[in-house]
Amino acid sequence: MAANDKRRHTRGEEVGGGGGGGGGSNGDCEPSMDKFPDHIISHILEKLDLESLCTAACVTPTFRSAVAHLFSSLSSLDLSGFSLDEESLKRVVRRVQGAKSLTIDCLQMQNDSCIINILSEQIEDLSLLKCSSLSYDILSAIGESCPNLRSLLIEFAGCEAPELFKKKLIDMLQNISLLESLSIKIRGTFYDVFDLQCLELFLPKSVKKLKLQQTDALFSTLWIHKMKDIPLFKLQILSLVLDVISDSLLFTVVNSLPLLVELDLEDRPFMEPSIQSDLTNNGLQYLGVCRHLITLSIVRSNIYYLTSFTRVNDMGMFLLSEGCGGLESVKLGGFTKVTEAGFSSILHSCQNLKKFEVSNSSQLSDLTFHNIRGVARSLIELRLLSCKLLTSEAMEELSSFSKLEVLDTSGCRSIADPCLIYISSLTTLTKLSLAEADITDKGLAILGRGDSPIVHLCIRGCKRVTDWGIELLFHEEGKICKTLSLLDVGHIPGISDAAVFTIASAAKALTDLCLRFCFHVTDAAVKMLVDRPNHKSSLLQRLDLYNCRSLSDDLIMLLLYKSSFRGLRWLGVGCTLLCNKRDDFSTIRNARPWLVVCFDGCEFGCHDGWQFH
């Protein structure tokens, strides 16, 4: 008997319970599965996610039967990781008919009927994501079919019919009197869609969470002012995307919503705000009245016009930190006049701070984290985005953040190799983004030898990194070889097939790989990803090849094989020769209805840009 066959035979006997009556001479484990009581198998399967359940169902008939039974009893079904077509969605939902909570990626849904057909009275929590082809009529259908709805999240692609939206929204609100959470986002529109007057009359008193994108600041202020006179109205979470955030808006919020726990405001000015309509230090001071506030996000976006909160300085941050010491999550964007002193006051005053994010701050420097030891001990997420004065010295204090799981310094171009000495010592860090940092191959070698169990790593735009750096990152089977699931090496001119070969062979848990703008990556690298040795348990799920110009259209033949990329759910091929093979991709889509092929340059999963598909 060959050595390998002998080992398999031995393992089969051990699983079966010894030499007498277990697994059989061929090592088949199916009889041993039958010996487990049904309730034990069910208990194990209940702990798995949807994808793992589907995998388990393919193992044995015993598991298949147990999974089918479990599906029928599931109360929650999250399909956000799968962009299914109409027929596939029907099949899945038919097997989970008792689900009260549904989350669906609607990117491939071609009309309203795809969703209407699965709506029912039992649904209490409904999330419809990326509704690029659905109309506002779906709102009326939700109201008619889901009278017991408690929570609704829906993302529309903008269509120029604000009056129709208002009518359908009223139709829905009149029929769902138990609603507690309402979140509606309309993407790709330049005008105000939400006329909040309809909410004033028809919004159920039970609503505690409201998120709207996009609306007018003046209308919002007037509506919020009226809310304080409505009995039994107890809004606790408010999230708005507006044209301009002003002192008047914040004053109205804190005086009309005394039970507010979470406030999330983003504005997108079309021009420079006037003194009367802009946010100042006084506006931040008003927030001290919100005694229950634990989550605060105030961001100025430059999506339409390049501007910032020029009328807020350190004094505004001092007033905020003094009045809101109970904050656990703080996100601030566009405060260009605030220095390290202002931001540092937040870290020192908010003792229970778990999440801290600052973006587009031209004056945040290393001094923000000076003498930070013993402060912000609860910090789990730290994001410092596009802060040009930040250097590696700031990272020296990271060792005091013993619970830190997420670190993002994207756009901080003065971050260099020395910071990786401190980062690699963080034993709790799972997500790290160093996009556009000045790190080199030597820095990646330090990270590869570190103790951080990194699951997500982004080094996009780190132009001094080469193939050699990737090899050093995965050198000697370090911890990152076993933990890394998502890797982004896009926009790095030194990345070629050699780096992809290293990644394919060394990253054992890899499921998501971004190679966009890697001009030297060829067909050979993609073929290597298909044939990843010894990694059948972690199939590639998302692959971004956008603008990889060395790829040929012959690669389509590889994708046409059903055995290639069996686990692939999303593929980005924009600005490559593969765009010339759209007809062939239609054939692939018919064979793999769960696969999304993006020709438009979107990021992983089309999270941004789907509204233009």
Side-chain angles (χ1 to χ4, degrees):
M1 181 182 291
N4 288 340
D5 291 338
K6 184 175 182 180
R7 283 195 294 269
R8 284 196 294 269
H9 179 76
T10 303
R11 284 198 300 268
E13 290 182 341
E14 290 171 351
V15 171
S25 61
N26 62 353
D28 189 345
C29 63
E30 170 59 20
S32 66
M33 293 293 182
D34 288 336
K35 291 186 177 182
F36 284 99
D38 291 343
H39 70 278
I40 292 181
I41 294 177
S42 298
H43 181 70
I44 295 173
L45 295 177
E46 285 173 0
K47 300 182 180 298
L48 302 180
D49 58 19
L50 179 64
E51 183 179 0
S52 300
L53 283 173
C54 293
T55 302
C58 299
V59 175
T60 70
T62 302
F63 273 25
R64 188 177 304 117
S65 176
V67 169
H69 177 72
L70 183 60
F71 270 16
S72 65
S73 61
L74 283 178
S75 61
S76 177
L77 182 61
D78 186 350
L79 298 173
S80 57
F82 303 85
S83 186
L84 304 178
D85 62 3
E86 181 177 5
E87 187 59 34
S88 299
L89 179 63
K90 281 182 182 178
R91 291 178 181 176
V92 173
V93 175
R94 191 184 305 129
R95 288 167 170 78
V96 194
Q97 295 183 354
K100 295 182 179 180
S101 175
L102 285 179
T103 301
I104 301 170
D105 183 328
C106 302
L107 189 60
Q108 295 198 57
M109 301 295 109
Q110 297 302 311
N111 51 63
D112 296 347
S113 63
C114 302
I115 301 299
I116 292 175
N117 291 334
I118 64 172
L119 298 178
S120 65
E121 292 185 0
Q122 69 198 23
I123 297 178
E124 298 179 2
D125 185 344
L126 180 63
S127 296
L128 302 177
L129 312 176
K130 306 174 192 173
C131 302
S132 56
S133 298
L134 302 191
S135 72
Y136 295 146
D137 291 334
I138 195 69
L139 294 173
S140 298
I142 292 171
E144 294 171 0
S145 303
C146 307
N148 297 311
L149 199 65
R150 260 77 170 175
S151 176
L152 172 65
L153 185 157
I154 188 167
E155 296 177 331
F156 284 116
C159 58
E160 298 184 7
E163 288 303 316
L164 178 62
F165 169 81
K166 178 180 176 180
K167 180 181 183 301
K168 299 302 180 181
L169 180 60
I170 291 174
D171 290 344
M172 181 186 74
L173 293 176
Q174 288 177 319
N175 290 302
I176 47 176
S177 58
L178 302 177
L179 192 68
E180 297 178 1
S181 175
L182 176 63
S183 178
I184 303 179
K185 298 180 180 180
I186 300 183
R187 304 281 192 95
T189 177
F190 293 92
Y191 55 90
D192 300 318
V193 173
F194 294 102
D195 181 353
L196 296 182
Q197 294 180 33
C198 62
L199 293 182
E200 175 187 340
L201 298 175
F202 300 102
L203 190 68
K205 306 297 186 296
S206 54
V207 170
K208 298 177 182 178
K209 177 179 179 179
L210 182 64
K211 295 189 175 187
L212 301 176
Q213 174 182 321
Q214 172 172 348
T215 186
D216 178 86
L218 178 59
F219 290 158
S220 298
T221 303
L222 294 173
W223 175 77
I224 294 171
H225 177 72
K226 294 178 181 179
M227 291 300 99
K228 68 179 181 180
D229 298 324
I230 299 179
L232 303 178
F233 187 71
K234 299 178 180 180
L235 197 67
Q236 297 177 4
I237 298 174
L238 177 64
S239 177
L240 299 174
V241 176
L242 314 123
D243 48 349
V244 179
I245 299 172
S246 65
D247 287 352
S248 176
L249 174 66
L250 289 185
F251 178 80
T252 305
V253 166
V254 301
N255 283 280
S256 303
L257 305 173
L259 300 178
L260 205 62
V261 174
E262 178 180 328
L263 179 61
D264 179 359
L265 300 176
E266 177 187 344
D267 69 3
R268 301 172 179 179
F270 289 92
M271 60 184 70
E272 188 66 38
S274 64
I275 297 177
Q276 294 78 16
S277 64
D278 204 5
L279 178 65
T280 70
N281 294 335
N282 292 332
L284 293 181
Q285 185 178 18
Y286 296 149
L287 292 173
V289 177
C290 293
R291 297 302 179 186
H292 302 283
L293 196 66
I294 59 174
T295 299
L296 175 65
S297 175
I298 300 180
V299 175
R300 174 151 288 175
S301 170
N302 294 326
I303 188 171
Y304 301 137
Y305 184 81
L306 186 61
T307 184
S308 62
F309 291 113
T310 57
R311 296 175 177 87
V312 175
N313 54 30
D314 287 342
M315 181 55 68
M317 291 299 152
F318 296 154
L319 295 171
L320 175 64
S321 59
E322 181 180 357
C324 299
L327 288 173
E328 297 180 6
S329 176
V330 175
K331 180 179 179 180
L332 303 169
F335 289 88
T336 55
K337 299 297 183 180
V338 177
T339 70
E340 61 274 351
F343 293 120
S344 182
S345 68
I346 302 284
L347 292 171
H348 283 81
S349 298
C350 302
Q351 294 299 311
N352 295 320
L353 195 65
K354 294 179 176 61
K355 300 180 181 180
F356 184 61
E357 177 176 333
V358 178
S359 60
N360 299 314
S361 173
S362 56
Q363 298 196 54
L364 184 147
S365 70
D366 298 343
L367 291 176
T368 302
F369 302 95
H370 184 63
N371 290 331
I372 205 70
R373 293 185 183 276
V375 176
R377 295 178 179 175
S378 302
L379 204 64
I380 296 175
E381 293 187 18
L382 178 61
R383 302 179 188 271
L384 306 169
L385 314 178
S386 300
C387 299
K388 63 181 182 180
L389 296 182
L390 199 69
T391 73
S392 298
E393 292 185 17
M395 302 296 106
E396 186 174 357
E397 301 294 339
L398 286 179
S399 59
S400 63
F401 299 153
S402 60
K403 299 180 180 179
L404 195 65
E405 298 177 6
V406 179
L407 176 62
D408 189 345
T409 61
S410 298
C412 298
R413 300 183 178 181
S414 295
I415 295 290
D417 287 347
C419 80
L420 291 167
I421 297 174
Y422 314 116
I423 291 174
S424 61
S425 66
L426 296 172
T427 58
T428 56
L429 192 68
T430 58
K431 295 184 180 180
L432 173 64
S433 178
L434 299 168
E436 300 183 39
D438 191 34
I439 62 172
T440 68
D441 295 344
K442 292 182 179 179
L444 290 184
I446 296 172
L447 190 63
R449 294 193 300 267
D451 295 324
S452 301
I454 297 174
V455 177
H456 292 185
L457 175 63
C458 174
I459 53 173
R460 174 183 293 192
C462 297
K463 300 188 182 301
R464 298 178 66 187
V465 169
T466 68
D467 294 340
W468 177 238
I470 300 300
E471 185 171 341
L472 293 173
L473 176 67
F474 294 107
H475 184 58
E476 294 182 351
E477 295 291 315
K479 181 174 289 189
I480 200 169
C481 295
K482 304 171 185 176
T483 61
L484 191 65
S485 173
L486 183 151
L487 178 61
D488 187 341
V489 293
H491 294 265
I492 302 180
I495 294 296
S496 70
D497 289 351
V500 180
F501 293 162
T502 300
I503 295 166
S505 58
K508 295 179 174 57
L510 190 71
T511 59
D512 300 76
L513 178 62
C514 176
L515 298 169
R516 59 170 43 211
F517 283 90
C518 290
F519 299 136
H520 302 297
V521 170
T522 71
D523 294 6
V526 179
K527 291 176 183 177
M528 179 64 179
L529 290 171
V530 172
D531 302 324
R532 291 173 67 206
N534 304 320
H535 301 325
K536 301 303 182 183
S537 61
S538 59
L539 298 175
L540 205 61
Q541 296 177 6
R542 297 188 293 183
L543 178 62
D544 190 350
L545 301 173
Y546 180 75
N547 214 4
C548 291
R549 298 178 183 176
S550 295
L551 298 179
S552 74
D553 56 7
D554 292 337
L555 197 60
I556 192 68
M557 300 307 298
L558 178 67
L559 296 170
L560 284 170
Y561 291 121
K562 290 185 178 181
S563 61
S564 300
F565 291 124
R566 285 173 296 147
L568 202 64
R569 300 181 196 167
W570 186 89
L571 177 65
V573 296
C575 288
T576 67
L577 292 177
L578 288 168
C579 290
N580 300 329
K581 299 290 184 177
R582 288 179 182 257
D583 291 341
D584 291 316
F585 276 116
S586 297
T587 303
I588 294 172
R589 182 175 173 239
N590 291 334
R592 308 184 194 185
W594 60 87
L595 175 63
V596 173
V597 180
C598 179
F599 299 94
D600 298 296
C602 295
E603 299 287 352
F604 279 146
C606 300
H607 293 297
D608 294 303
W610 56 265
Q611 64 270 24
F612 302 117
H613 282 190

